[in-house]
Amino acid sequence: QVQVQESGGGLVQAGGSLRLSCTASGLNLDDYAIAWFRQAPGKEREGLSCISRTGEKRYYLDSVKGRFTISRDNTKKTIYLQVNSLKPEDTANYYCAADRRSLFWCSPKEYDYPYRGQGTQVTVSS
């Protein structure tokens, strides 16, 4: 059974940082493109960032460019989302999703990913 898991969320003050991690069981994340999404209560889901299997292609939502960085460590089978300069409006449930496609592909659209986790909560206080 495939399970995708996120970790690293928490409560942080505005301006602070967190490193979110995405791991999985039942599949080898090395072979998957990964995307990070977030959803806050009453707001639409946002595709924040994605990274291809090789790591060569990366995408960032405009509102997080320069603050969020996606990376992957295939030796640890983990994908990270470093989130810096956090703002109260970044408060949301953050989750990752996986799809096995071509080496240089990734997408910020959730419907492209068949596997996703339950998320990790990020709360930013002002």
Side-chain angles (χ1 to χ4, degrees):
Q1 183 177 358
V2 173
Q3 285 192 320
V4 178
Q5 301 98 27
E6 305 87 351
S7 62
L11 174 62
V12 63
Q13 290 188 333
S17 298
L18 290 169
R19 188 174 76 163
L20 309 182
S21 298
C22 176
T23 58
S25 58
L27 57 82
N28 184 357
L29 277 186
D30 296 357
D31 296 331
Y32 287 76
I34 301 296
W36 282 94
F37 302 88
R38 72 182 177 189
Q39 186 160 26
K43 295 186 178 180
E44 289 189 0
R45 188 175 295 116
E46 295 183 295
L48 302 173
S49 182
C50 69
I51 188 167
S52 64
R53 290 169 61 182
T54 64
E56 291 188 22
K57 178 176 179 178
R58 306 184 193 200
Y59 160 88
Y60 295 98
L61 186 68
D62 283 348
S63 62
V64 306
K65 280 181 182 176
R67 299 191 300 126
F68 291 10
T69 303
I70 194 168
S71 62
R72 63 190 309 151
D73 184 341
N74 286 346
T75 63
K76 295 182 179 180
K77 302 188 185 303
T78 302
I79 290 76
Y80 302 102
L81 187 68
Q82 179 70 38
V83 296
N84 298 331
S85 303
L86 283 164
K87 308 174 183 178
E89 52 264 41
D90 292 318
T91 295
N93 186 50
Y94 287 66
Y95 61 97
C96 60
D99 179 79
R100 186 173 186 175
R101 212 169 293 204
S102 63
L103 290 174
F104 305 103
W105 174 91
C106 79
S107 163
K109 304 297 184 183
E110 191 185 19
Y111 55 71
D112 282 325
Y113 296 88
Y115 305 112
R116 58 161 287 185
Q118 294 300 307
T120 185
Q121 179 67 32
V122 172
T123 302
V124 185
S125 63
S126 58

